[in-house]
Amino acid sequence: MRKIIIILLIIASLHATIQADTFSEIAKKYELSVDGKKYVVSGFTPFASATDNDIFANTMLWIINNVCPQLRDGITDVDVNKYRFSVDMALGSMPGSGLENIYYCTATFSVVQGRLVYSIHDIKVESKSVVFKKITPFEKLNPAKKETHNETMDDFVSSVSSTLNTMFDFVNEYKPRVSHWKEIGYRKPVVGLTEDECRIAFGKPKNIFENNGIVQWSYNTYFSLFFENGKVCSILN
């Protein structure tokens, strides 16, 4: 009986250690697969301790903060009721890879019963080398016969895996302040919205100013939000 207890304690300890590791520390690879005639990276990741609302909010927040060049540019097909959106992405080669590629792709995310479902598709590569003289769809590559094409695909897998792992860490750890889903869906500014809600609804502000405890987010000449204690207190529209 004592041996069984010790073994159970060791298993529990190992499980806790694994659970404590972040996605980036585990450095999981998300491999390419073929869907029909298209290369894709697809699958799902569960987040047992987060609600579907929080998973969706955090995914959008991370994409807006780290992928969108400004505002909510590149994000399409947002459906807050179905927890779904798509985004155009541009990823660079991994440091130390010896490559200087840019990978263009579209990522679709949805949340289903505590799982973040992802599909990264329509993948293309642009390179400074003579191997790719223009933006080339992955379907045009022949990794079985050309080692340079195989290296390109491996580099993309490393780049997209690093991106997903970093995003999953954020989704798992950040506690968003989001409840006004109806207003977010309509992209309607109202008093009481939090900063997280405004980022999801309108994207990154073009300018941020602060004066006497009031923070102003300016999106354009005619649209500004004013925050006090982290919530919208007035609107210039």
Side-chain angles (χ1 to χ4, degrees), residues 10-142:
I10 292 172
I11 292 172
S13 176
L14 288 172
H15 179 72
T17 301
I18 293 172
Q19 291 295 100
D21 289 336
T22 67
F23 289 92
S24 296
E25 288 169 344
I26 295 171
K28 179 180 176 181
K29 287 290 184 71
Y30 305 90
E31 300 289 349
L32 283 163
S33 60
V34 178
D35 183 3
K37 295 183 179 180
K38 295 284 188 177
Y39 281 104
V40 298
V41 176
S42 61
F44 67 86
T45 297
F47 296 92
S49 60
T51 66
D52 287 0
N53 280 346
D54 286 356
I55 296 170
F56 180 72
N58 279 354
T59 304
M60 282 206 70
L61 284 169
W62 192 89
I63 290 293
I64 288 166
N65 289 333
N66 295 278
V67 175
C68 298
Q70 61 180 0
L71 301 176
R72 239 175 50 164
D73 290 357
I75 291 181
T76 60
D77 302 324
V78 180
D79 189 329
V80 299
N81 295 314
K82 295 182 178 179
Y83 301 128
R84 185 183 185 279
F85 75 97
S86 296
V87 60
D88 295 326
M89 303 174 67
L91 307 175
S93 289
M94 291 295 290
S97 67
L99 301 176
E100 297 182 65
N101 296 338
I102 300 175
Y103 302 101
Y104 301 101
C105 55
T106 299
T108 299
F109 298 100
S110 60
V111 182
V112 181
Q113 297 180 343
R115 300 177 300 174
L116 178 57
V117 182
Y118 56 88
S119 174
I120 298 165
H121 47 92
D122 296 326
I123 308 163
K124 303 177 181 68
V125 58
E126 180 180 20
S127 175
K128 292 182 179 179
S129 72
V130 295
V131 177
F132 309 109
K133 296 182 180 180
K134 57 183 179 180
I135 297 176
T136 305
F138 263 32
E139 289 71 31
K140 297 287 187 180
L141 304 185
N142 191 342

Side-chain angles (χ1 to χ4, degrees), residues 151-194:
E151 290 174 354
T152 294
M153 287 187 164
D154 286 345
D155 182 48
F156 171 77
V157 166
S158 295
S159 182
V160 78
S161 296
S162 177
T163 300
L164 288 175
N165 284 326
T166 303
M167 183 180 72
F168 293 161
D169 282 338
F170 180 83
V171 172
N172 195 48
E173 296 167 4
Y174 186 68
K175 304 301 180 185
R177 299 177 63 197
V178 179
S179 60
H180 293 83
W181 287 106
K182 182 177 180 180
E183 289 79 5
I184 290 172
Y186 287 119
R187 304 186 73 181
K188 179 181 179 181
V190 296
V191 171
L193 291 179
T194 66

